[in-house]
Amino acid sequence: MGMNLDWHGALAALDWQVDLGATEAIADAPVDRFAESEALAARAAAPAAPVTPPVSAPPLVPLADADPVAEAQAAANAAGTLEELRDAMAAYEHCVLKGGARSLVFADGRPEARVMIVGEAPGRDEDLQGLPFVGKAGQLLDRMFAAIGLGRAEPDPGRALYITNVLPWRPPQNRDPTPQEIAMLRPFLERHIALADPAILVVMGNIPCDALLGRRGITRLRGTWTEVLGRPALPMFHPSFLLRQPAQKRHAWTDLLTLKDRLEA
Ligand code: URA
């Protein structure tokens, strides 16, 4: 069965592939695979060189001995400032997502803001720019919060936003994080919240609900105040979901008004 693809359909399909990271298969410089395979063949034909062990190999810690969660906890606890926390995350080597990402996406906005938003993970635009929520979902997020007078560049902490994500690195093809990845990144997120010390947390989408509330089901959780690390927290629909399901925006609006009321109380 054939599929008729018009110009708009083809462009949307291409956009979708770019969103999924298809462009990342293209390196900056061309690779001559013919020369590569000739070199391999030549190496295979050459007599084998004697294998000598490296003279001063560094002692290797067997991977099985390292506890990624305990190490993340220790590194996060040792950070006394947001800058130190960012450095500790940059130095953390147990998360495979780091290897596939261009940037460590730490935060944006004002750390002194009363409201801190926790999103899911950087996408393509965030990975390229090194800042959270700068793509289409981020633009919607900015419009949503501007509607109640809040923004990441507002100088007044009462109107400012501070924004981070559960994952500081973009997952390949924007896949969901594994439970192990969430567990090893949670100590950094918790320390991030403690250091920023917001009055209110907005828990944006299922992944942060999983990481901070220990359960998913945003359709049920949204709009009801709960507590995270001793702070009032409001789960809300993620703007990416709202871009796909615009009819749900009325719920997001209700939740924004709930947040506004709390800030003005
Ligand atoms: N979605 C998120 O959850 N976070 C971002 O930074 C971008 C998109």
Side-chain angles (χ1 to χ4, degrees):
M1 198 172 66
M3 188 176 77
N4 288 326
L5 202 58
D6 64 6
W7 187 87
H8 294 285
L11 188 64
L14 188 63
D15 250 4
W16 182 66
Q17 292 200 24
V18 170
D19 267 356
L20 292 181
T23 53
E24 269 136 62
I26 303 167
D28 288 342
V31 178
D32 184 346
R33 302 287 178 204
F34 293 108
E36 253 182 14
S37 50
E38 277 162 19
L40 269 178
R43 224 177 297 150
V51 181
T52 44
V55 188
S56 61
L60 284 181
V61 179
L63 219 52
D65 280 4
D67 176 348
V69 179
E71 290 199 11
Q73 192 72 64
N77 287 351
T81 63
L82 291 170
E83 290 71 32
E84 285 173 14
L85 182 67
R86 180 202 276 260
D87 291 346
M89 290 166 79
Y92 184 72
E93 298 295 348
H94 292 288
C95 187
V96 289
L97 300 177
K98 182 180 181 181
R102 282 190 182 81
S103 315
L104 168 79
V105 176
F106 183 69
D108 194 22
R110 301 201 165 264
E112 57 282 355
R114 284 186 73 202
V115 176
M116 178 171 180
I117 299 175
V118 181
E120 299 187 338
R124 181 173 174 270
D125 296 306
E126 290 75 21
D127 185 40
L128 286 171
Q129 294 190 41
L131 289 170
F133 282 107
V134 289
K136 283 197 191 107
Q139 287 157 20
L140 176 56
L141 177 140
D142 284 341
R143 288 200 299 278
M144 286 162 62
F145 284 87
I148 56 162
L150 305 184
R152 51 181 116 186
E154 290 286 343
D156 170 5
R159 298 167 63 99
L161 292 173
Y162 186 58
I163 306 176
T164 191
N165 285 307
V166 174
L167 310 185
W169 297 290
R170 181 194 184 190
Q173 273 82 49
N174 298 338
R175 68 156 169 77
D176 273 2
T178 63
Q180 291 75 14
E181 286 161 354
I182 293 183
M184 69 176 80
L185 295 169
R186 189 188 296 117
F188 293 114
L189 176 62
E190 291 184 355
R191 188 75 184 140
H192 202 156
I193 294 168
L195 289 169
D197 193 21
I200 289 173
L201 279 167
V202 173
V203 188
M204 205 121 219
N206 264 323
I207 308 289
C209 281
D210 188 338
L212 294 172
L213 309 178
R215 63 208 151 109
R216 298 195 183 201
I218 191 67
T219 306
R220 288 199 177 183
L221 294 169
R222 61 140 282 273
T224 303
W225 287 99
T226 177
E227 211 181 85
V228 168
L229 307 167
R231 297 159 204 274
L234 185 64
M236 280 185 65
F237 279 143
H238 192 284
S240 297
F241 171 72
L242 298 174
L243 287 171
R244 295 193 303 271
Q245 304 273 337
Q248 302 295 324
K249 282 185 184 168
R250 63 198 168 92
H251 293 303
W253 180 236
T254 309
D255 299 346
L256 286 166
L257 293 179
T258 308
L259 174 64
K260 184 169 184 276
D261 282 350
R262 183 105 184 195
L263 285 168
E264 288 170 358

